[in-house]
């Protein structure tokens, strides 16, 4: 049986793998409180929108701010201001950039990642269910104990780990 490591909440073991974890990163000459904030902002070219996301106090606040921005842009027929489509190839590339920054700027995380060995890494979204992008970025454990979902966040972490090892 393959060893698996799953991560959910920031305060639980391996929570540092999540984008909500409090590891600030520098990018584009600016500080970002979390990789979640940077990742969400990278979907927009509009500096005012990026700054509104960056100003949020928490990573969940960033997600909620983006939902409100998308709603407003949709209502005003300005959705073109979102330049990166969620769950696209560019979105995946942006996530990898964010995770690379996190590892480079917090070297202790490199050792933690290497310590996961050959385990399959999963963002466990079981509690969140099948809605939205959950099964794109993460996976859920079904009733038979199998992981379902594309688990792109886990796959990117495993790619970066293989490069470190």
């Amino acid at each position: 049986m393959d060893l698996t490591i799953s991560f959910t909440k920031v305060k639980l073991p391996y929570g540092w793998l999540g984008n909500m974890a409090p590891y600030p990163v520098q990018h584009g000459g600016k500080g970002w409180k979390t990789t979640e904030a940077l990742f969400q902002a990278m979907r927009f070219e509009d500096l005012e929108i990026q700054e509104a996301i960056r100003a949020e106090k928490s990573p969940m606040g960033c997600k909620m701010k983006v939902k409100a921005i998308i709603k407003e842009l949709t209502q005003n027929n300005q959705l073109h201001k979102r330049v990166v489509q969620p769950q696209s190839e560019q979105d995946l590339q942006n996530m990898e950039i964010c995770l690379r920054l996190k590892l480079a700027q917090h070297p202790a995380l490199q050792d933690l990642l290497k310590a996961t060995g050959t385990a399959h890494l999963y963002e466990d979204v079981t509690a969140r269910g099948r809605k939205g992008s959950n099964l794109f970025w993460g996976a859920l454990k079904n009733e038979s104990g199998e992981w379902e979902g594309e688990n792109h966040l886990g796959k990117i972490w495993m790619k970066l780990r293989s490069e470190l090892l």
Side-chain angles (χ1 to χ4, degrees):
M1 184 168 164
D2 291 331
L3 177 64
T4 63
I5 292 173
S6 62
F7 55 99
T8 54
K9 297 182 186 322
V10 171
K11 293 182 180 180
L12 294 176
Y14 302 102
W16 56 271
L17 290 163
N19 283 333
M20 302 290 181
Y23 290 92
V25 292
Q26 295 288 319
H27 179 69
K30 296 177 181 178
W32 300 85
K33 292 178 182 95
T34 60
T35 51
E36 182 66 28
L38 174 58
F39 174 71
Q40 293 292 342
M42 290 173 84
R43 289 177 168 165
F44 302 90
E45 281 183 350
D46 186 297
L47 294 178
E48 192 174 311
I49 292 173
Q50 289 178 352
E51 285 303 311
I53 296 166
R54 195 167 77 89
E56 286 295 319
K57 290 180 172 55
S58 73
M60 189 52 75
C62 291
K63 284 184 94 160
M64 296 301 105
K65 175 59 109 183
V66 168
K67 285 184 184 219
I69 289 168
I70 292 297
K71 183 177 181 183
E72 183 180 332
L73 292 176
T74 301
Q75 289 171 344
N76 295 329
N77 205 23
Q78 295 182 319
L79 198 52
H80 63 275
K81 288 188 176 186
R82 180 178 66 192
V83 295
V84 175
Q85 185 66 30
Q87 302 178 27
S88 65
E89 189 58 39
Q90 185 61 56
D91 217 27
L92 289 167
Q93 290 172 16
N94 287 349
M95 181 62 77
E96 186 171 325
I97 289 167
C98 291
L99 299 185
R100 285 183 184 281
L101 289 169
K102 186 174 177 177
L103 282 176
Q105 294 174 25
H106 300 279
L109 296 181
Q110 295 176 28
D111 293 332
L112 291 175
L113 184 57
K114 287 190 270 189
T116 65
T118 59
H120 285 84
L121 304 177
Y122 292 94
E123 181 188 23
D124 184 352
V125 299
T126 305
R128 291 186 259 159
R130 299 175 182 275
K131 61 185 183 277
S133 62
N134 289 346
L135 294 182
F136 180 80
W137 292 109
L140 59 77
K141 254 191 177 174
N142 64 24
E143 292 174 5
S144 60
E146 299 294 318
W147 289 99
E148 277 182 44
E150 295 181 54
N151 190 41
H152 285 292
L153 189 59
K155 288 176 182 174
I156 294 169
W157 277 120
M158 290 184 282
K159 174 185 176 181
L160 299 178
R161 178 183 63 197
S162 70
E163 291 174 8
L164 287 172
L165 296 173

